[in-house]
PDB file of all heavy atoms in Angstrom:
ATOM      1  N   ASN A 178     -11.575  -8.573   9.636  1.00 97.00           N
ATOM      2  CA  ASN A 178     -10.955  -7.348   9.131  1.00 97.00           C
ATOM      3  C   ASN A 178      -9.439  -7.485   9.055  1.00 97.00           C
ATOM      4  O   ASN A 178      -8.802  -7.064   8.081  1.00 97.00           O
ATOM      5  CB  ASN A 178     -11.311  -6.163  10.032  1.00 97.00           C
ATOM      6  CG  ASN A 178     -12.749  -5.719   9.887  1.00 97.00           C
ATOM      7  OD1 ASN A 178     -13.405  -6.016   8.892  1.00 97.00           O
ATOM      8  ND2 ASN A 178     -13.250  -5.022  10.896  1.00 97.00           N
ATOM      9  N   ASP A 179      -8.844  -8.066  10.101  1.00 97.00           N
ATOM     10  CA  ASP A 179      -7.394  -8.176  10.151  1.00 97.00           C
ATOM     11  C   ASP A 179      -6.827  -9.155   9.130  1.00 97.00           C
ATOM     12  O   ASP A 179      -5.633  -9.134   8.850  1.00 97.00           O
ATOM     13  CB  ASP A 179      -6.944  -8.582  11.564  1.00 97.00           C
ATOM     14  CG  ASP A 179      -6.721  -7.367  12.461  1.00 97.00           C
ATOM     15  OD1 ASP A 179      -6.303  -6.322  11.931  1.00 97.00           O
ATOM     16  OD2 ASP A 179      -6.960  -7.470  13.674  1.00 97.00           O
ATOM     17  N   ASN A 180      -7.674  -9.999   8.567  1.00 98.00           N
ATOM     18  CA  ASN A 180      -7.225 -10.902   7.502  1.00 98.00           C
ATOM     19  C   ASN A 180      -7.491 -10.323   6.114  1.00 98.00           C
ATOM     20  O   ASN A 180      -7.400 -11.035   5.102  1.00 98.00           O
ATOM     21  CB  ASN A 180      -7.890 -12.268   7.653  1.00 98.00           C
ATOM     22  CG  ASN A 180      -7.314 -13.045   8.815  1.00 98.00           C
ATOM     23  OD1 ASN A 180      -6.103 -13.095   9.001  1.00 98.00           O
ATOM     24  ND2 ASN A 180      -8.180 -13.652   9.618  1.00 98.00           N
ATOM     25  N   SER A 181      -7.794  -9.040   6.048  1.00 98.00           N
ATOM     26  CA  SER A 181      -7.958  -8.363   4.765  1.00 98.00           C
ATOM     27  C   SER A 181      -6.692  -8.482   3.921  1.00 98.00           C
ATOM     28  O   SER A 181      -5.573  -8.486   4.443  1.00 98.00           O
ATOM     29  CB  SER A 181      -8.241  -6.868   4.969  1.00 98.00           C
ATOM     30  OG  SER A 181      -9.504  -6.634   5.523  1.00 98.00           O
ATOM     31  N   ILE A 182      -6.884  -8.543   2.620  1.00 98.00           N
ATOM     32  CA  ILE A 182      -5.743  -8.429   1.715  1.00 98.00           C
ATOM     33  C   ILE A 182      -5.228  -6.998   1.765  1.00 98.00           C
ATOM     34  O   ILE A 182      -5.979  -6.042   1.556  1.00 98.00           O
ATOM     35  CB  ILE A 182      -6.145  -8.793   0.272  1.00 98.00           C
ATOM     36  CG1 ILE A 182      -6.465 -10.284   0.184  1.00 98.00           C
ATOM     37  CG2 ILE A 182      -5.026  -8.425  -0.712  1.00 98.00           C
ATOM     38  CD1 ILE A 182      -7.081 -10.692  -1.147  1.00 98.00           C
ATOM     39  N   VAL A 183      -3.964  -6.844   2.082  1.00 98.00           N
ATOM     40  CA  VAL A 183      -3.279  -5.543   2.029  1.00 98.00           C
ATOM     41  C   VAL A 183      -2.305  -5.625   0.868  1.00 98.00           C
ATOM     42  O   VAL A 183      -1.487  -6.558   0.792  1.00 98.00           O
ATOM     43  CB  VAL A 183      -2.527  -5.252   3.339  1.00 98.00           C
ATOM     44  CG1 VAL A 183      -1.703  -3.968   3.210  1.00 98.00           C
ATOM     45  CG2 VAL A 183      -3.505  -5.155   4.505  1.00 98.00           C
ATOM     46  N   CYS A 184      -2.401  -4.685  -0.076  1.00 98.00           N
ATOM     47  CA  CYS A 184      -1.508  -4.735  -1.226  1.00 98.00           C
ATOM     48  C   CYS A 184      -0.950  -3.349  -1.531  1.00 98.00           C
ATOM     49  O   CYS A 184      -1.579  -2.332  -1.262  1.00 98.00           O
ATOM     50  CB  CYS A 184      -2.189  -5.326  -2.450  1.00 98.00           C
ATOM     51  SG  CYS A 184      -3.690  -4.486  -2.980  1.00 98.00           S
ATOM     52  N   ARG A 185       0.235  -3.357  -2.092  1.00 98.00           N
ATOM     53  CA  ARG A 185       0.947  -2.113  -2.398  1.00 98.00           C
ATOM     54  C   ARG A 185       1.144  -2.006  -3.911  1.00 98.00           C
ATOM     55  O   ARG A 185       1.809  -2.839  -4.522  1.00 98.00           O
ATOM     56  CB  ARG A 185       2.294  -2.077  -1.683  1.00 98.00           C
ATOM     57  CG  ARG A 185       3.085  -0.785  -1.824  1.00 98.00           C
ATOM     58  CD  ARG A 185       4.288  -0.829  -0.900  1.00 98.00           C
ATOM     59  NE  ARG A 185       5.083   0.392  -0.951  1.00 98.00           N
ATOM     60  CZ  ARG A 185       6.173   0.540  -1.722  1.00 98.00           C
ATOM     61  NH1 ARG A 185       6.564  -0.474  -2.485  1.00 98.00           N
ATOM     62  NH2 ARG A 185       6.848   1.664  -1.711  1.00 98.00           N
ATOM     63  N   LEU A 186       0.518  -0.997  -4.496  1.00 98.00           N
ATOM     64  CA  LEU A 186       0.671  -0.728  -5.921  1.00 98.00           C
ATOM     65  C   LEU A 186       1.974   0.027  -6.146  1.00 98.00           C
ATOM     66  O   LEU A 186       2.270   0.996  -5.446  1.00 98.00           O
ATOM     67  CB  LEU A 186      -0.511   0.109  -6.416  1.00 98.00           C
ATOM     68  CG  LEU A 186      -0.560   0.604  -7.861  1.00 98.00           C
ATOM     69  CD1 LEU A 186      -2.002   0.955  -8.235  1.00 98.00           C
ATOM     70  CD2 LEU A 186       0.326   1.822  -8.131  1.00 98.00           C
TER      71      LEU A 186
END
Side-chain angles (χ1 to χ4, degrees):
N178 288 340
D179 271 327
N180 287 316
S181 291
I182 292 171
V183 174
C184 57
R185 185 172 181 264
L186 176 160

